[in-house]
Amino acid sequence: MSRSANIERNTNETQIKLQLNIDGEGKSKIETGVPFMTHMLDLFTKHGHFDLTVDARGDIEVDDHHTTEDIGICLGQALVAALGDKKGIKRYGNSFVPMDEALAQVVVDLSNRPHLEFRAAFPSQKVGTFDTELVHEFLWKLALEARMNLHVIVHYGQNTHHMIEAVFKALARALDEATTIDPRVKGVPSTKGML
């Protein structure tokens, strides 16, 4: 059974089409109008071994906020739809990723209980034209819509680009682990009998 989903979101601020295949090959086709977000989603796809297509049009003449936020919403919704009943998954994922002087850790629980714990202080307010506060916005909307427990910790770093890139790579690797089918898991990995 294919663990994939197509999501479309149309508002007065953004129009987004997103396709996600959890069991992919790291292939991406991404156009967001926000170059730094395009770069982050591209490496997220590669390091998570997902296939991801994103066609996003937004009011970037205002700023990158609505586009970035709504991509997080769509990606979260796609994760939920692609995972289905979550039977057989590992559920938890943890990854440390170094990026030169920076070290990021991401821990996820596909628990159906949305929560974001974000421990990162970026030295710069912008990377290129991208507002670094939007990293939190993207991750919060992703956690909310994917209904997952998401902990993001940047242990240290000096270069903001490196720090954020380490976060996205760690997120990809943690989600890859959490969504992996484990043949030892019978049914849903919870004593409640559901997630």
Side-chain angles (χ1 to χ4, degrees), residues 6-69:
N6 296 328
I7 301 293
E8 190 167 339
R9 177 180 172 85
N10 294 296
T11 74
N12 291 335
E13 298 164 341
T14 63
Q15 298 80 47
I16 298 173
K17 293 180 180 177
L18 185 147
Q19 298 175 318
L20 172 69
N21 178 7
I22 291 173
D23 303 311
E25 299 174 353
K27 295 178 182 176
S28 63
K29 185 177 180 183
I30 298 167
E31 185 55 55
T32 69
V34 181
F36 187 72
M37 182 52 60
T38 298
H39 177 43
M40 292 301 104
L41 291 173
D42 187 44
L43 61 86
F44 167 82
T45 305
K46 185 74 170 178
H47 289 271
H49 307 287
F50 309 123
D51 290 339
L52 180 65
T53 300
V54 180
D55 182 11
R57 316 266 177 223
D59 56 354
I60 55 174
E61 70 281 359
V62 176
D63 67 8
D64 298 337
H65 184 106
H66 296 138
T67 303
T68 302
E69 176 181 38

Side-chain angles (χ1 to χ4, degrees), residues 3-5 7 20 22 73-86 110-114 141-148 175 179 195:
R3 297 195 300 165
S4 61
I7 301 293
L20 172 69
I22 291 173
I73 289 170
C74 291
L75 184 57
Q77 291 174 349
L79 269 168
V80 167
L83 283 170
D85 61 14
K86 300 181 183 175
L110 301 175
S111 62
N112 203 36
R113 294 190 309 277
K141 293 311 187 305
L142 174 65
L144 188 63
E145 295 295 331
R147 301 198 56 80
M148 70 176 168
L175 279 173
T179 59
L195 285 173

Side-chain angles (χ1 to χ4, degrees), residues 58-129:
D59 56 354
I60 55 174
E61 70 281 359
V62 176
D63 67 8
D64 298 337
H65 184 106
H66 296 138
T67 303
T68 302
E69 176 181 38
D70 286 8
I71 292 170
I73 289 170
C74 291
L75 184 57
Q77 291 174 349
L79 269 168
V80 167
L83 283 170
D85 61 14
K86 300 181 183 175
K87 286 183 179 175
I89 65 168
K90 286 190 173 181
R91 176 180 166 177
Y92 298 98
N94 177 34
S95 180
F96 285 89
V97 169
M99 179 73 186
D100 294 351
E101 86 299 340
L103 179 65
Q105 179 184 14
V106 174
V107 185
V108 301
D109 175 9
L110 301 175
S111 62
N112 203 36
R113 294 190 309 277
H115 182 82
L116 172 65
E117 202 61 46
F118 185 78
R119 307 288 173 91
F122 301 126
S124 302
Q125 293 182 345
K126 285 189 177 287
V127 175
T129 60

